Amino acid sequence: MDVPDLTPLLEQLDDNVDDLEEILGPILKSSLTETSKKLPVLDKAKFHVLVTYALESLVFSYLRLHGVNAKEHPVFRELTRVKQYFEKIKALETEPEQRTMKLDKEAAGRFIKHGLAGNDKLDMQRKEQEAKEKARAQMKASLLAKKSGSTPAESSKNPTSESESGSDEGSEGEAAEKQKSKSKGKKKEKSGESGDKSSKKKNKRSKEGRKEESKERRKKKMEKRKARQS
């Protein structure tokens, strides 16, 4: 059975360890507390979580290299717990949603009144303004009451006027119809008279035509008689 050559992997591991020592040199020169003091709060939390995660992962790798089931070891639980801290830090790094500022007008008014309560002039002005507002409200209420009281009386008067106007309109309509009927009758009479006149004229013309025809016939007869006698 051929054994695989592990020398390239070991050389790569040696190089990675050297690089890691160079990177961790500034941190390893001083204690963790001294290096974390210089950092802000969020970076300090990141620093401690990363160091813890690095140590726990090294222990996890060490156990696996020695053939131990690392998932059943308590170090695996610690790794999962540290991962939760990573998620919390990530949630803090994300920008929160912009909150819309809302002004509580009532609370602001109370604060302003309380702050101006010691000034006599302002108190007098405020009282005068409140009195004016009350007077205006009373005037509006009285006007509305008067309007509401006057509208039923007007509505009760309106039906009589409407009935009167309706009767007037009805009488006017009847008079107009009578005038129309009279004018139609007159037109018919005129048309009848004109028809009679035209018929009379026609009769006269026909009589005159008959007379002329009879005269012409007589003349012709007289001429024939004269011609026979000659």
Side-chain angles (χ1 to χ4, degrees):
M1 184 176 179
D2 295 330
V3 178
D5 190 8
L6 299 175
T7 53
L9 294 173
L10 292 172
E11 288 176 358
Q12 186 178 358
L13 179 61
D14 192 12
D15 294 332
N16 291 330
V17 170
D18 293 333
D19 294 332
L20 185 62
E21 286 177 355
E22 289 178 1
I23 293 166
L24 296 175
I27 298 170
L28 296 173
K29 286 179 181 179
S30 60
S31 62
L32 294 175
T33 55
E34 290 178 359
T35 53
S36 62
K37 282 180 182 178
K38 300 175 183 179
L39 299 173
V41 178
L42 189 61
D43 292 334
K44 189 186 290 185
K46 285 182 184 179
F47 178 73
H48 286 289
V49 172
L50 286 170
V51 170
T52 306
Y53 186 79
L55 293 172
E56 297 291 343
S57 61
L58 287 171
V59 174
F60 184 82
S61 300
Y62 178 79
L63 292 171
R64 291 194 67 183
L65 287 170
H66 286 79
V68 179
N69 190 2
K71 289 184 179 180
E72 294 179 358
H73 198 272
V75 73
F76 186 74
R77 295 177 186 174
E78 290 295 319
L79 283 170
T80 54
R81 187 175 66 83
V82 172
K83 285 180 181 179
Q84 291 177 359
Y85 286 110
F86 279 119
E87 292 176 0
K88 289 180 180 179
I89 291 167
K90 188 177 180 180
L92 291 171
E93 284 180 340
T94 55
E95 294 181 357
E97 294 181 356
Q98 293 181 356
R99 296 179 181 178
T100 56
M101 297 295 290
K102 291 183 179 180
L103 178 63
D104 192 354
K105 293 181 180 179
E106 294 180 357
R110 288 196 297 271
F111 281 117
I112 291 165
K113 286 180 181 179
H114 182 71
L116 299 174
N119 196 340
D120 295 332
K121 290 182 179 180
L122 293 172
D123 291 337
M124 290 293 292
Q125 289 177 0
R126 188 173 67 253
K127 288 179 181 179
E128 289 177 357
Q129 189 174 359
E130 289 177 355
K132 287 179 181 179
E133 289 177 356
K134 287 181 181 179
R136 287 176 186 173
Q138 289 177 358
M139 287 290 289
K140 287 181 180 179
S142 62
L143 289 171
L144 290 171
K146 287 180 181 179
K147 286 181 180 179
S148 62
S150 62
T151 49
E154 290 177 357
S155 62
S156 62
K157 290 179 181 178
N158 287 329
T160 56
S161 62
E162 288 177 357
S163 62
E164 290 176 357
S165 62
S167 61
D168 293 335
E169 289 177 357
S171 60
E172 289 177 358
E174 289 176 358
E177 288 179 356
K178 287 180 181 179
Q179 288 179 358
K180 286 181 181 179
S181 61
K182 286 180 181 179
S183 62
K184 286 180 181 179
K186 288 179 180 179
K187 286 180 180 179
K188 287 180 180 179
E189 289 177 357
K190 288 180 180 179
S191 62
E193 289 177 357
S194 62
D196 293 334
K197 288 179 180 179
S198 61
S199 61
K200 286 178 181 179
K201 287 180 180 179
K202 287 180 181 179
N203 291 326
K204 286 181 180 179
R205 288 176 183 175
S206 61
K207 286 179 181 180
E208 290 176 355
R210 287 174 185 175
K211 287 180 180 180
E212 288 178 356
E213 287 177 356
S214 61
K215 285 179 181 181
E216 288 178 355
R217 287 175 184 175
R218 285 176 185 176
K219 285 180 181 180
K220 287 179 180 179
K221 286 179 180 180
M222 290 293 289
E223 289 176 355
K224 286 180 180 180
R225 285 177 184 178
K226 287 178 181 180
R228 286 177 184 176
Q229 288 175 2
S230 61

